[in-house]
Amino acid sequence: MIKAAELREMSDEQLAVTLKETTDNLFRLRLQAQTERLDAPSELRKSRRLVARIKTIQNERQRVAAVKGEQNNA
């Protein structure tokens, strides 16, 4: 599992790729959960939380960029 500190060190492009891969994996896990038994049901929770971590970091970066943009315009 990737920790928040490791995610913060990634670039925006790396975060976007990781988010895409994780959401694809989450989709496959959900399909598998509906059609057959999962080997590790905890993977669903881990993937959901990783998506949330990535989105949180992306939102933090957007807010910081918006604040810097406002300071430059003022």
Side-chain angles (χ1 to χ4, degrees):
M1 176 179 280
I2 301 175
K3 299 196 180 224
E6 295 172 15
L7 291 171
R8 290 184 203 287
E9 293 173 0
M10 292 183 177
S11 68
D12 291 339
E13 294 81 22
Q14 290 174 319
L15 274 178
V17 169
T18 306
L19 179 62
K20 175 78 170 120
E21 291 172 355
T22 307
T23 53
D24 290 345
N25 185 38
L26 183 59
F27 177 75
R28 283 192 299 276
L29 286 172
R30 286 180 175 158
L31 278 178
Q32 190 177 7
Q34 293 298 317
T35 58
E36 57 189 76
R37 291 189 71 89
L38 283 176
D39 294 332
S42 63
E43 288 299 316
L44 279 169
R45 177 183 293 164
K46 289 177 184 177
S47 293
R48 277 198 328 263
R49 289 183 178 180
L50 181 56
V51 167
R53 279 189 192 103
I54 293 170
K55 287 185 175 183
T56 299
I57 291 169
Q58 287 176 334
N59 284 333
E60 287 173 352
R61 290 181 180 181
Q62 287 175 352
R63 277 191 247 124
V64 167
V67 168
K68 286 183 180 178
E70 288 177 6
Q71 289 176 351
N72 290 338
N73 291 335

